[in-house]
Amino acid sequence: MRSPFLARLHALASSDRLAVEDDLVRRSFAELHDRALRARATLCEGRPSLDGRRVAILVSPGAAWVEAFLGVVLGGGVALPLSPLYPPGELAWFGDDAGADTLVFSADLAPRAVELAKGRRVVNVETIADGPRDEAASISEIAAIAADATALLLYTSGTTGKPKGAMITHENVAVQAALLREAWGFREDDRLLHALPLHHLHGLGISLLTTLLAASAARLLPRFEATRVWNELADQRVTTFMAVPTMYQKLFECFDAADEATRARWAAGARSLRLATSGSAALPVTLAARWKELTGSIPLERFGMTEIGVGMSNPRDPAARRPGFVGPALPSVESRIVDDAGHDSPTGPGELFIRGPSVFKGYWNRPEATLAAFADDWFKTGDIAERAEDGAIRLLGRTSVDILKSGGYKLSALEIEEALRENPAVAEVAVIGLPDEVWGDRVVAVIVPAAGAEAACSTEAIRAWARDRLAAYKIPRETVLVAALPRNPLGKVVKPELIQSLRARAPAPI
Ligand code: MCA
Ligand code: AMP
């Protein structure tokens, strides 16, 4: 078998150990594999293979999501996981951009899927595994899937307006999972509590696939909800938990509001975890310290990116973790720090470049963007880093003021500005991120209203208007109205100036 991802999956195909469970079903590896092969046959519709066709997945998190996803990759197709948080128009845009010819959906999301479904074959996830397997075709076809074939397309925001689909190969998936299995010591008896979205690499690759390919089990929650997560931890049936910093923040808000007996139960649950990790955004040292107070160790913080998987990780040994650092590079991940003049700077600060077998193969249908993202074969992360003597990396920010991180989601200020410019009440707009304890970056739209249109540019009016056009987490939390935007002699908005002036004012609500 040429795909190391599928070879690993195949090696687990006869295991009766638990693989995934949700609120309704439990599936062993053998059952999961069998159902994925049935899903494969449904998707292939008698053809030997999906042959690189893109299949959109708009399914609520759970065992059925995993079956559909594995059905696509076992079929030699490319999975396009989508989030129900996107409004219908944006979902259709993803389907079109990826050229997906099939949509797998779950009944609860059918109303969201109407526009996306147009012109595509639709398959209901509830019945996708009901049919027979296609033994004859599957054995030889699956064995022929190449290591560098694209397994999934994950859309990520950049500095160029609309998101780009990162092509993650079968080899990328296998390498990333193997690196983390080793670094974080996954064992067969590990059980992951999974509350992350499945349309990003953190929830899908780093958490779910690492767990499954290590022969451990994943317990999938329908969504992140702090009380639910605490109660799951308190049951002490899970051993690992992966989260973005905002989730830790929300967990503590919920913890502080609970009574003493509940807090004691929850704290015991958190202490029983073998491993709690944090990533996708900087973990404030104060949050790390609170987790340590509760459990005895700070979360394991690591640095990752859709395009590279996890690049740097703090050590598994809690005593060796350094707050504020993301650790040294993982084995096989090569890293460089390059200063403004383009020279290597061993300690930095400068832009972090990454190379190695976990790095993606390019952006779907965007050869120029792919070219621009690399310097020779080094991927340019856009993150500014410095390196300590022991090799540990500290992240200092990003090279572009137009990339924001809110609750672990990467957002493009330009994309949000483009959407807001469609509003006739908006004459000019600049979207910025202001530092925020809960969200990391708080998205603020600074607007010059059209004549007489001030009311239509209020926070409430703009948020209501944007609801059908942008995913909920991209919608600015606040608008600030100004007479003019600060511009440089070339007419470009000077965002650092805006950020500074708005940081200086009293904190705003929401
Ligand atoms: C939800 N809202 C948000 C966000 N999430 N607003 C801004 N930023 C967000 N991230 C909106 C909701 O739509 C709602 O809007 C309001 O905030 C309150 O929602 P709430 O219930 O408080 O939020 P939640 O549903 O609990 O979501 C918080 C969350 C979520 C669980 C932290 O944002 C999340 O799942 N984040 C994970 C993102 C992630 O997986 N990133 C990985 C990228 P309204 O009031 O208008 O309805 S991959 C990556 O970064 C690399 C590979 C790596 O290193 O990991
Ligand atoms: P994404 O494109 O959504 O995969 O997000 C990747 C970006 O998340 C990186 O380029 C970093 O800016 C940020 N990121 C991930 N992990 C961390 C971390 N531990 N600390 C700070 N930023 C992080």
Side-chain angles (χ1 to χ4, degrees):
M1 197 167 298
R2 293 156 69 203
S3 156
F5 169 20
L6 299 182
R8 181 87 194 145
L9 206 61
H10 187 71
L12 296 167
S14 55
S15 166
D16 287 330
R17 297 184 65 86
L18 179 69
V20 285
E21 64 175 339
D22 59 26
D23 284 341
L24 298 174
V25 297
R26 292 162 60 84
R27 302 268 185 239
S28 67
F29 279 97
E31 288 166 332
L32 183 63
H33 192 256
D34 173 64
R35 291 181 64 80
L37 284 177
R38 292 174 196 277
R40 176 194 192 280
T42 304
L43 291 166
C44 285
E45 272 188 308
R47 288 180 301 240
S49 141
L50 290 170
D51 207 14
R53 282 190 180 76
R54 274 76 59 211
V55 178
I57 301 176
L58 185 65
V59 173
S60 291
W65 193 102
V66 187
E67 290 161 13
F69 170 78
L70 294 179
V72 175
V73 291
L74 282 164
V78 177
L80 170 67
L82 294 174
S83 163
L85 293 175
Y86 283 102
E90 269 206 285
L91 286 173
W93 181 88
F94 285 115
D96 291 346
D97 190 77
D101 67 0
T102 303
L103 162 68
V104 183
F105 75 102
S106 54
D108 57 326
L109 297 177
R112 291 225 144 220
V114 173
E115 218 171 310
L116 172 64
K118 279 184 197 149
R120 303 195 160 87
R121 176 178 173 226
V122 291
V123 177
N124 192 322
V125 81
E126 284 84 11
T127 54
I128 195 171
D130 283 357
R133 298 158 45 154
D134 181 355
E135 304 292 346
S138 55
I139 294 169
S140 58
E141 290 294 333
I142 294 170
I145 295 171
D148 68 351
T150 304
L152 56 143
L153 268 190
L154 291 180
Y155 274 77
T156 174
S157 291
T159 46
T160 52
K162 283 289 191 191
K164 304 180 289 271
M167 295 187 282
I168 318 283
T169 67
H170 283 252
E171 185 188 8
N172 293 154
V173 170
V175 168
Q176 293 179 10
L179 281 177
L180 295 181
R181 180 169 71 237
E182 193 53 38
W184 297 349
F186 276 89
R187 308 174 305 234
E188 283 194 355
D189 56 358
D190 269 324
R191 190 178 299 187
L192 169 82
L193 179 63
H194 191 292
L196 283 158
L198 287 163
H199 69 299
H200 281 306
L201 197 72
H202 194 169
L204 175 51
I206 298 167
S207 306
L208 178 67
L209 295 178
T210 297
T211 297
L212 293 181
L213 297 188
S216 344
R219 176 161 176 73
L220 293 155
L221 300 188
R223 63 184 295 270
F224 174 82
E225 203 267 303
T227 311
R228 173 81 198 266
V229 168
W230 278 123
N231 284 329
E232 291 282 341
L233 296 180
D235 283 349
Q236 304 203 8
R237 284 183 301 159
V238 292
T239 62
T240 59
F241 176 61
M242 302 189 195
V244 299
T246 303
M247 289 178 173
Y248 284 103
Q249 173 72 31
K250 283 172 171 272
L251 284 173
F252 281 121
E253 282 170 14
C254 176
F255 187 86
D256 292 340
D259 61 54
E260 213 177 306
T262 307
R263 286 209 299 255
R265 205 164 51 80
W266 286 352
R271 268 195 303 275
S272 75
L273 284 172
R274 174 181 83 72
L275 177 73
T277 71
S278 176
S280 302
L283 178 68
V285 288
T286 46
L287 267 187
R290 266 214 84 180
W291 190 256
K292 181 169 181 179
E293 210 180 288
L294 197 71
T295 66
S297 46
I298 62 172
L300 182 160
E301 184 171 10
R302 81 327 175 265
F303 161 77
M305 212 171 166
T306 303
E307 292 89 337
I308 67 157
V310 171
M312 277 85 198
S313 172
N314 265 290
R316 198 193 325 163
D317 172 11
R321 296 176 195 163
R322 286 174 77 180
F325 286 78
V326 293
L330 289 171
S332 87
V333 175
E334 292 178 74
S335 65
R336 281 164 68 192
I337 298 180
V338 178
D339 68 17
D340 282 348
H343 301 306
D344 276 75
S345 167
T347 53
E351 185 176 355
L352 182 64
F353 285 18
I354 298 283
R355 185 167 73 174
S358 44
V359 176
F360 79 137
K361 84 171 176 192
Y363 298 109
W364 169 255
N365 265 349
R366 304 272 204 291
E368 301 82 21
T370 303
L371 209 60
F374 286 87
D376 300 321
D377 51 352
W378 290 89
F379 177 71
K380 302 189 275 182
T381 62
D383 288 298
I384 316 257
E386 60 183 16
R387 197 190 310 266
E389 261 174 30
D390 63 357
I393 292 284
R394 184 206 282 278
L395 295 167
L396 305 174
R398 295 195 54 91
T399 54
S400 167
V401 73
D402 288 320
I403 295 292
L404 316 178
K405 268 267 163 164
S406 172
Y409 284 119
K410 190 194 247 188
L411 310 177
S412 158
L414 304 182
E415 181 191 353
I416 301 170
E417 287 165 10
E418 248 170 54
L420 295 180
R421 272 193 212 103
E422 309 245 314
N423 185 326
V426 173
E428 290 176 49
V429 59
V431 167
I432 54 171
L434 294 183
D436 184 278
E437 208 179 277
V438 178
W439 300 104
D441 279 322
R442 170 187 160 81
V443 181
V444 174
V446 186
I447 297 177
V448 180
E454 286 76 8
C457 291
S458 69
T459 297
E460 298 69 35
I462 289 292
R463 282 177 62 81
W465 178 87
R467 208 159 283 277
D468 295 338
R469 294 167 171 88
L470 289 169
Y473 54 80
K474 295 181 184 172
I475 299 175
R477 300 223 140 228
E478 185 194 355
T479 65
V480 173
L481 307 193
V482 292
L485 294 170
R487 291 185 185 273
N488 68 15
L490 297 172
K492 198 170 175 324
V493 177
V494 191
K495 288 194 177 177
E497 201 176 295
L498 264 184
I499 293 170
Q500 215 170 356
S501 67
L502 287 173
R503 277 183 79 162
R505 69 182 181 151
I510 309 189

